[in-house]
Amino acid sequence: MRLSIFCTMFALVVGGLSHEAYAHGSSASFDLVPFKTIALSSAPSITIPIYKSSGHHGPAILLVHGNSSSSRSYVKQILGSLGVHRKIFALDLPGYGQSGKMPVHLPLPVDAQGLPLGFPQYQSGLVEAISLVANDAAVNAEVVVGWSLGGDLTLLTQGLGLLPNVKGIMMFGTAPAGAQSPAGIQPFKEPNIPGLPFTLGILPSFGFAFQMNPAALYGFDLGASFLDPVPAYAPAPINQAPNVGTAYVRAFFKESTRLSGQVPWIFYEDGMYRADARARASLGAIVLGFAPQGPIAFPDEIQVLQNLAGSPATSADDIKIAVLHGEEDAFVNLDYLKALKTNGLLPTLWKNKIHVIKDAGHAPHFERPAKFNHLLDGFVRDL
C-alpha cells in the first residue's frame, strides 16, 4: 500500500494528524478511538481499550503489541487495506497506551529484603487482558498476532487454556523459551548484560529498565529510568543514542533507522511517556524470578508450542503457528528460531518455515506493512 494512501486515510479516520506531519515524522500525536472498553476482573480500576478496523470479513484477528509500545504500532494493519477488508481488533495492555494504570502514588511493591515484586496487574493482568478481549462477544478472536512480548503473552494465554476459540497464532520478534530450549544457542543477540547469572541481551534488558549499579544488591537496579545514559558496553549504533529509552526504541527498527534515529514519534511517545515505568519493572521482576508464583503458574512456552499439535485422543485440531522475523532484528537471534524448527519444537509451523522479512528490524509490521499484511492474510486464508 502506498504511503500517501495510508497517510490520507490515517488523517481522515483518526484526525489531528496531517499527511505532512506523519510523512515527515513530526512530533504530532494521535490516538486511535476505542470502540469498546472493558475492565480486568481482578482489578476493575484497570481498563482495557479495544480498537477495531472497518473491515467485516472474518475470522476475527486480535493484535497484541510488545513491551513499551501500544496498539498504535499496528496502525498500518488496522487502518490499512488489510483492515478495510478484514475484521481486526487490537488492545492496549495494562500499563501501556490508553489502558488503565496503577495509581501514580503507589511505589513498586518489594519484599522484606527490598527485592522488587512488581504489580500483579502488570504481570498476570497482561494475560487476563488478552483472554478477556479475545473472548469478548464482540471480538471472538480466532487468530491472535503477538509482537515481541505480545508473542510470549499470547503463548502463555494459550497454554493456560484461555483462548478456546483460537485456530492460529502468529508471532514475530519473539523468542519463546523453556526447559527444552535448544542448547548452546541464545534466544537474544549478544552482547549480553555482564555479571548476570543467566544470559540476557543488552537490548531486552533496556525494555525491563535494568541498569548496572555496583552498589545494588544484585549489581543492577530494576526500576531505572528510561532517561539513564546508555552503558558503554552497549553495541553500536545503539551506544550513540542519548539515553536508554531512545536506544531501546531505536532498536525496534532496521540498522539504517537505528543509526539515523529517524524513528516515528509515536514509538518514542509510547515507550518513554505513555508506558508506566512500573509496568516494565514488574515484568523485570518476573524475568529475574523475584516475584512469587501467582495462583496460576505460567506454562513453559516451548511446551505450549508442542501442545499446539492436536491430540487424536481428544479429537483436537492442530493450532497453526506462523513465525515471522525481521532480517535486521536487533533483539531476537534467528539461529535460535531455526533451532526450534530443527529440533521439532514447532510441530504446527505454518508452511514449515520461518518467514524472514528483508529490509526490516524488530518491527516488520510497521517497516514493511505490505509484506507483513500479505503474510498475515495468507496465514488466515490457510487456516
Side-chain angles (χ1 to χ4, degrees):
M1 182 180 63
R2 294 177 58 190
L3 180 61
S4 60
I5 297 175
F6 165 72
C7 291
T8 302
M9 184 176 183
F10 195 102
L12 287 172
V13 176
V14 179
L17 181 65
S18 69
H19 179 163
E20 293 77 13
Y22 181 82
H24 292 91
S26 82
S27 60
S29 184
F30 70 93
D31 272 317
L32 297 171
V33 179
F35 93 100
K36 185 175 184 178
T37 299
I38 61 177
L40 294 184
S41 302
S42 63
S45 64
I46 302 295
T47 54
I48 307 299
I50 308 173
Y51 311 91
K52 184 183 182 299
S53 70
S54 61
H56 299 285
H57 189 71
I61 303 167
L62 175 61
L63 307 176
V64 183
H65 65 79
N67 184 18
S68 298
S69 185
S70 81
S71 58
R72 297 193 299 182
S73 69
Y74 285 113
V75 70
K76 296 183 180 183
Q77 285 69 53
I78 298 170
L79 298 183
S81 58
L82 185 68
V84 171
H85 173 60
R86 290 204 173 273
K87 185 165 53 175
I88 299 177
F89 298 88
L91 77 159
D92 288 335
L93 293 167
Y96 301 103
Q98 297 187 84
S99 72
K101 313 293 193 298
M102 295 301 294
V104 295
H105 66 277
L106 293 181
L108 188 74
V110 298
D111 67 11
Q113 287 73 46
L115 295 177
L117 298 177
F119 289 105
Q121 294 88 341
Y122 293 155
Q123 295 165 340
S124 58
L126 301 178
V127 169
E128 182 184 353
I130 294 171
S131 173
L132 285 173
V133 174
N135 297 306
D136 186 89
V139 178
N140 189 27
E142 295 184 61
V143 179
V144 180
V145 179
W147 172 37
S148 194
L149 172 68
D152 295 298
L153 293 172
T154 299
L155 291 179
L156 296 177
T157 309
Q158 170 64 30
L160 290 170
L162 300 176
L163 297 174
N165 301 317
V166 165
K167 298 179 174 63
I169 293 171
M170 175 179 281
M171 66 181 187
F172 62 103
T174 302
Q180 299 181 61
S181 292
I185 305 177
Q186 300 302 331
F188 297 108
K189 288 186 174 179
E190 297 179 343
N192 301 298
I193 289 188
L196 279 185
F198 57 89
T199 301
L200 182 67
I202 294 295
L203 294 175
S205 78
F206 288 176
F208 299 129
F210 297 154
Q211 280 290 275
M212 302 307 292
N213 176 6
L217 181 62
Y218 281 84
F220 58 87
D221 293 321
L222 183 59
S225 167
F226 246 24
L227 300 179
D228 285 345
V230 179
Y233 50 80
I238 295 302
N239 57 14
Q240 300 171 23
N243 54 57
V244 167
T246 301
Y248 181 68
V249 174
R250 279 188 186 183
F252 290 174
F253 298 91
K254 62 184 179 182
E255 182 76 3
S256 59
T257 304
R258 296 198 293 269
L259 185 62
S260 70
Q262 297 299 307
V263 171
W265 176 253
I266 60 170
F267 288 90
Y268 285 132
E269 186 177 47
D270 278 342
M272 301 178 70
Y273 306 111
R274 304 209 316 170
D276 186 346
R278 297 166 302 169
R280 285 189 286 262
S282 297
L283 288 171
I286 290 285
V287 170
L288 295 174
F290 292 153
Q293 191 65 258
I296 301 177
F298 283 149
D300 181 298
E301 290 183 326
I302 300 297
Q303 190 60 56
V304 173
L305 291 170
Q306 293 179 287
N307 290 344
L308 295 179
S311 169
T314 60
S315 300
D317 293 329
D318 287 354
I319 296 175
K320 286 288 187 181
I321 185 159
V323 180
L324 278 53
H325 180 81
E327 186 177 42
E328 299 180 40
D329 193 316
F331 293 85
V332 175
N333 182 2
L334 177 58
D335 288 338
Y336 178 80
L337 298 179
K338 290 179 177 178
L340 292 178
K341 174 182 177 296
T342 301
N343 288 298
L345 301 176
L346 296 168
T348 66
L349 182 63
W350 179 51
K351 294 191 174 181
N352 197 35
K353 65 180 292 186
I354 310 294
H355 296 265
V356 178
I357 301 178
K358 295 183 180 298
D359 199 32
H362 192 59
H365 59 313
F366 196 90
E367 291 187 289
R368 295 289 310 280
K371 178 65 174 178
F372 181 93
N373 292 353
H374 175 73
L375 288 169
L376 176 53
D377 189 62
F379 177 60
V380 173
R381 289 176 183 273
D382 285 350
L383 293 177

